[in-house]
Amino acid sequence: MRILIVGTPRTGSTNFAEHISKNKNCIRAGEIFNSQTFKKRLAIQKVDINEWECFKNDQKELEELEQMAKFQIKMFKEKDNIVAKLFPEHLNKLGFDKVFKYSFELCDIADEIYYTQRLDKKAQTISKSVSLLTKYWNKDRKPFEGELSDF
C-alpha cells in the first residue's frame, strides 16, 4: 500500500503520517521532496548512498533537486508499504511545470491519497512563521512568546 498525504506545512500531516504508519505498518518516508530531509536521511543511511550515487550518475543532465525528486519517486514506487508527505512547494525552484509533473507522478503511483488542510489559516501562518524564525519544526515546541513583527 502506497499512501500519499498532500498538504502544506503546519496542517497536522506529521501526526497523520505517524498514525497511518502505526496502524497500517508502513515505512514513513517523511516529506518526500524536501531536499534537507533527503540529505539527513542519506547521512543516517536511511537512503542507500551507493544507489543514490549511481542514480545521480545516470541523471547527470538534471540539476540535483530534480535528480532527488526522480529518485524519491522511484523509491516510492518500489516500496509496498509506505506513507509519504507531498508538499509541492519543495520543488518550486524547478518551476511550475515540473512541480506539477512530479507531483502528479507521485499521485499516479499512490494507492491512497489524503489531503490535509488546517481550517484556521491564520494560526497555520503564524505557526509556520514561528517555525521559520526559530528553526524548530517539532510539534512539541514551546509556545512562542515574542513578537513576529520584530523580525
Side-chain angles (χ1 to χ4, degrees):
M1 178 75 53
R2 291 172 199 86
I3 302 169
L4 191 61
I5 300 169
V6 180
T8 55
R10 316 313 296 171
T11 59
S13 61
T14 298
N15 285 343
F16 189 43
E18 287 173 2
H19 175 78
I20 289 171
S21 177
K22 287 177 187 170
N23 288 322
K24 296 193 177 194
N25 197 28
C26 293
I27 299 165
R28 281 185 48 224
E31 297 170 8
I32 199 158
F33 288 154
N34 184 328
S35 59
Q36 292 174 330
T37 301
F38 181 74
K39 288 174 184 170
K40 288 177 188 173
R41 292 173 63 85
L42 272 173
I44 61 172
Q45 299 176 349
K46 287 205 172 199
V47 174
D48 185 321
I49 194 153
N50 293 325
E51 187 178 347
W52 167 238
E53 291 298 329
C54 288
F55 187 87
K56 273 179 36 173
N57 286 336
D58 290 343
Q59 305 284 326
K60 286 179 190 170
E61 73 283 357
L62 302 177
E63 62 181 273
E64 190 171 31
L65 182 60
E66 191 167 2
Q67 290 172 339
M68 184 269 307
K70 291 181 80 153
F71 183 80
Q72 291 288 76
I73 290 168
K74 176 182 170 293
M75 179 271 308
F76 188 72
K77 189 175 191 173
E78 291 172 352
K79 301 289 183 191
D80 288 328
N81 276 351
I82 190 167
V83 58
K85 299 185 327 181
L86 168 61
F87 294 171
E89 69 186 49
H90 287 147
L91 296 179
N92 281 349
K93 291 179 184 174
L94 295 179
F96 188 76
D97 290 341
K98 289 183 180 177
V99 169
F100 274 97
K101 175 185 175 184
Y102 294 126
S103 296
F104 285 135
E105 275 188 47
L106 266 180
C107 290
D108 282 343
I109 296 166
D111 299 306
E112 293 180 10
I113 301 172
Y114 297 93
Y115 299 90
T116 60
Q117 66 174 330
R118 190 164 170 173
L119 293 177
D120 187 343
K121 302 296 185 210
K122 181 179 178 183
Q124 180 183 3
T125 302
I126 291 169
S127 180
K128 184 174 180 182
S129 297
V130 169
S131 293
L132 287 168
L133 290 170
T134 63
K135 309 284 188 253
Y136 193 73
W137 291 87
N138 190 302
K139 65 184 180 215
D140 299 324
R141 74 165 187 246
K142 295 178 184 173
F144 184 70
E145 301 283 333
E147 290 287 325
L148 291 174
S149 60
D150 289 347
F151 294 98

